[in-house]
Amino acid sequence: MGQVARSAFPAIDRQSLHRLETHFIASEIYRRDDVAARQVKLARLISNRVIPQLLRIHADVVPDAPPIEDVIKALAPSSSDITDLADIILGSDLEAAVAYIVVLRDRGLSMETLFVELLEPTARHLGEMWDRDECDFIDVTLGVARLQKLLAIFNNTHEFAAWDRRRTVLMAMTPGDQHSFGVTMVERFLVAAGWEVHTELSGTVEDIVSAVTEGWFAVAGLTLASDGMIDSLKATITKLRKHSQNRDIGIMVGGPSFTANPALVSVVGADATAPNAPAAVVTAQKLFDLSITASRAEHTR
């Protein structure tokens, strides 16, 4: 099996990468002196999730990608161990991670496959590890930041500097819901990941609609505590889309009902769901990418 030289991978603009390093994470976290060590540790902790997903993508989804052993040797030359696949994706070398993702994209991997097969499951697993106290908030934030970066690189939205200020999210509960824990938890992770978040805890549809009428939001996130409020959520989403300044706003929903039955997402008129807060951050990035891509297309017509 022939080895793929490092030069066979795409050249990466290091200046853009530096900007990416600071873009998807709160500055107080990025400035920590233990970031690189934490990233290496995190890659090892989550390797059991990342490696099987990457191997499946390589074998079943992108069969024309370079042999996996050659990828490891080219991007992680200090070792040929298969566990270095996790380090390529989540470790301290962003350039290697970006090179690998771009190779997969250029060989035909779709954004939806990347998200469904790798990014969302990895983010979900990070949240589960945090729930079990296997890693802390900083670790999860670093991992989620990397996943956002890779998604932005894949979609080329990292090149849209003028849209940076529009990484804004509206978080709210379904009108009638009194359970704010889910909203505040997602808000915490979004803020740590560099998002500007407006949280509407009033619980009224009028206040939610007023927020999207008066301000521009790339994404709206709504939580649902019980099936008894599905009709209320559906009506709220309909009004939200009708009155939103951003005609391409992405809407994500969360709660036990959607975890048990993801098909409810389309029933209520939303675009996506996420099983936990870290996965919600990556889902928001996906919806942001779709939103600004659609908005740019409209502006260039």
Side-chain angles (χ1 to χ4, degrees), residues 71-72 75-76 84-91 93 96-98 100 146:
V71 169
I72 296 169
L75 297 181
D84 281 331
L85 264 178
D87 198 45
I88 287 172
I89 291 295
L90 290 171
D93 188 349
V98 168
Y100 181 51
R146 171 58 58 82

Side-chain angles (χ1 to χ4, degrees), residues 23-301:
H23 186 61
F24 292 98
I25 194 165
S27 59
E28 63 270 19
I29 296 177
Y30 177 74
R31 288 196 297 263
R32 293 176 61 99
D33 57 11
D34 62 347
V35 166
R38 280 177 174 269
Q39 287 176 314
V40 171
K41 180 191 75 172
L42 184 63
R44 290 295 178 261
L45 283 174
I46 204 168
S47 62
N48 66 324
R49 165 66 67 174
V50 174
I51 292 170
Q53 299 298 99
L54 286 173
L55 291 176
R56 183 177 181 280
I57 289 173
H58 232 85
D60 299 340
V61 182
V62 194
D64 292 333
I68 199 73
E69 297 86 353
D70 294 350
V71 169
I72 296 169
K73 290 177 182 177
L75 297 181
S78 62
S79 174
S80 59
D81 193 325
I82 197 72
T83 58
D84 281 331
L85 264 178
D87 198 45
I88 287 172
I89 291 295
L90 290 171
S92 58
D93 188 349
L94 178 59
E95 183 176 349
V98 168
Y100 181 51
I101 289 298
V102 171
V103 164
L104 294 180
R105 181 192 67 193
D106 292 348
R107 298 300 175 99
L109 180 68
S110 71
M111 187 271 283
E112 189 63 21
T113 299
L114 175 69
F115 184 83
V116 171
E117 296 286 348
L118 178 64
L119 301 185
E120 194 278 341
T122 301
R124 184 185 342 129
H125 189 57
L126 285 168
E128 292 166 355
M129 290 173 62
W130 185 58
D131 288 340
R132 297 191 297 264
D133 292 326
E134 295 173 10
C135 58
D136 63 19
F137 180 76
I138 302 298
D139 293 329
V140 176
T141 298
L142 290 170
V144 169
R146 171 58 58 82
L147 299 178
Q148 286 190 102
K149 293 168 193 173
L150 296 181
L151 190 56
I153 285 281
F154 190 92
N155 291 321
N156 286 323
T157 55
H158 68 294
E159 298 176 350
F160 305 159
W163 295 85
D164 288 353
R165 66 184 184 278
R166 296 202 166 190
R167 293 184 72 241
T168 54
V169 181
L170 171 68
M171 289 299 304
M173 300 174 294
T174 297
D177 187 359
Q178 300 299 316
H179 299 83
S180 62
F181 178 77
V183 168
T184 55
M185 186 58 63
V186 173
E187 176 190 28
R188 182 186 180 193
F189 276 95
L190 284 167
V191 170
W195 290 83
E196 180 181 335
V197 184
H198 173 83
T199 301
E200 182 55 68
L201 294 179
S202 69
T204 69
V205 66
E206 291 79 13
D207 286 339
I208 294 172
V209 170
S210 176
V212 298
T213 302
E214 297 173 3
W216 193 99
F217 294 93
V219 178
L222 297 163
T223 60
L224 179 73
S226 70
D227 290 350
M229 290 183 286
I230 286 179
D231 288 342
S232 175
L233 177 59
K234 183 177 181 179
T236 300
I237 290 174
T238 298
K239 292 181 180 180
L240 191 156
R241 290 196 189 278
K242 179 179 179 180
H243 296 283
S244 174
Q245 276 193 34
N246 176 13
R247 311 314 299 175
D248 300 300
I249 190 170
I251 298 178
M252 61 180 181
V253 289
S257 298
F258 298 105
T259 302
N261 183 12
L264 283 176
V265 172
S266 59
V267 172
V268 300
D271 299 304
T273 186
N276 57 32
V281 176
V282 180
T283 300
Q285 182 63 43
K286 173 189 174 183
L287 295 178
F288 172 79
D289 287 355
L290 293 172
S291 175
I292 66 168
T293 299
S295 295
R296 286 186 81 249
E298 290 178 5
H299 291 169
T300 55
R301 286 174 186 167

